Amino acid sequence: MDKTTSFLPDLHDLHQKLENVREKLDRGPRRIAAQQRILKDKEAEKESFKEKLMELRKSADGKSLQLKSNEAKIGDLRGKLNAASSNKEYEIISSQIEADEMANSVLEDEILEALEKVDQCQQDIADADEAIKEQQATINKTEQEVNAAKAGLEEEASQLEGELSELEKEIPAAMKDQYRRLVDAHGASCLTLVENDACTSCYAIIAPQERVQLNMGKFMLCRSCGRIMYQNKS
């Protein structure tokens, strides 16, 4: 490979290493953000349980009041039963008492079921609290890990940026604007290795004349994907 383009494999390698380090730097905040979204979901779930608990208690309280009202009504009917002036009146009042007692029996079952649901909902809230604490602990641990790795990654990125900037000085002036546009468009894949006469980015086959020019160390762009082509060092 002619010295004109002999630096391109190293340039591509630096781009790839820098992209990898930057990805690691970006990944940390993304991990934290994802875990914070999980925390918000768990907090929302807890609020949902609390709203449900209020509704269950309201329902249980309403049924309890209804039961007390019915019991008072039955008490009044029993007083009227003792004062009944005829068998017909006695039978009517007795039937009403029987119906109200049956209704109360159903209410008692419903109240018991409602109270069981209240207990379960309170347990759900307690479980949600524990899940929130665990998720917050996970976030704290992740933040510590990310912060611990950040300084080293930033230092590595700075070093790679310096090496990259130095090597980019080898790019001919006529190619620099196009090179920068390719970096902006494709990042680390702005360059592409040619293997077996094919671009490894788009798999287009290069022409014989292009192979000759590559061997001569000429700057060549892939006719298909537009990336800067290079060959491995020989």
Side-chain angles (χ1 to χ4, degrees), residues 183-203:
V183 171
D184 292 341
H186 302 295
S189 62
C190 59
L191 295 104
T192 182
L193 173 65
V194 172
E195 281 186 332
N196 300 320
D197 289 340
C199 168
T200 55
S201 291
C202 67
Y203 305 106

Side-chain angles (χ1 to χ4, degrees), residues 97-140:
I97 290 173
E98 184 178 352
D100 287 344
E101 287 178 337
M102 182 64 71
N104 276 4
S105 178
V106 173
L107 269 175
E108 287 170 351
D109 290 341
E110 290 176 351
I111 291 169
L112 180 61
E113 182 180 358
L115 292 175
E116 288 174 349
K117 288 180 179 179
V118 166
D119 289 341
Q120 180 59 54
C121 196
Q122 287 175 327
Q123 183 60 52
D124 290 338
I125 292 172
D127 292 343
D129 271 329
E130 188 61 30
I132 288 170
K133 290 177 183 177
E134 290 177 359
Q135 184 61 27
Q136 186 60 62
T138 298
I139 291 172
N140 293 342

Side-chain angles (χ1 to χ4, degrees), residues 27-181:
R27 194 183 306 151
R30 290 202 302 269
R31 284 176 60 200
I32 294 170
Q35 290 176 0
Q36 287 174 335
R37 287 193 294 271
I38 293 173
L39 177 62
K40 287 184 178 180
D41 288 343
K42 291 182 182 297
E43 290 173 337
E45 185 179 38
K46 177 186 172 181
E47 289 303 312
S48 176
F49 284 139
K50 288 172 68 176
E51 291 175 4
K52 181 180 178 181
L53 179 61
M54 290 178 62
E55 291 298 319
L56 288 171
R57 282 177 170 166
K58 183 178 179 181
S59 176
D61 290 345
K63 291 180 185 297
S64 294
L65 286 174
Q66 187 178 349
L67 180 63
K68 290 179 180 179
S69 176
N70 285 357
E71 287 174 344
K73 180 182 176 183
I74 290 173
D76 291 340
L77 288 173
R78 290 191 187 283
K80 292 178 181 180
L81 185 66
N82 294 331
S85 59
S86 66
N87 288 337
K88 183 173 181 61
E89 184 181 2
Y90 187 91
E91 289 176 359
I92 290 173
I93 295 173
S94 295
S95 296
Q96 186 61 53
I97 290 173
E98 184 178 352
D100 287 344
E101 287 178 337
M102 182 64 71
N104 276 4
S105 178
V106 173
L107 269 175
E108 287 170 351
D109 290 341
E110 290 176 351
I111 291 169
L112 180 61
E113 182 180 358
L115 292 175
E116 288 174 349
K117 288 180 179 179
V118 166
D119 289 341
Q120 180 59 54
C121 196
Q122 287 175 327
Q123 183 60 52
D124 290 338
I125 292 172
D127 292 343
D129 271 329
E130 188 61 30
I132 288 170
K133 290 177 183 177
E134 290 177 359
Q135 184 61 27
Q136 186 60 62
T138 298
I139 291 172
N140 293 342
K141 181 180 178 181
T142 301
E143 286 176 339
Q144 290 173 357
E145 293 173 352
V146 169
N147 290 334
K150 184 177 180 181
L153 289 170
E154 286 179 339
E155 182 179 353
E156 186 178 356
S158 178
Q159 180 179 341
L160 288 169
E161 286 168 355
E163 293 176 13
L164 184 63
S165 178
E166 190 65 29
L167 199 56
E168 285 175 337
K169 294 177 181 179
E170 299 291 327
I171 298 172
M175 287 289 299
K176 283 189 175 179
D177 287 345
Q178 192 161 22
Y179 163 76
R180 185 51 54 192
R181 286 194 296 270

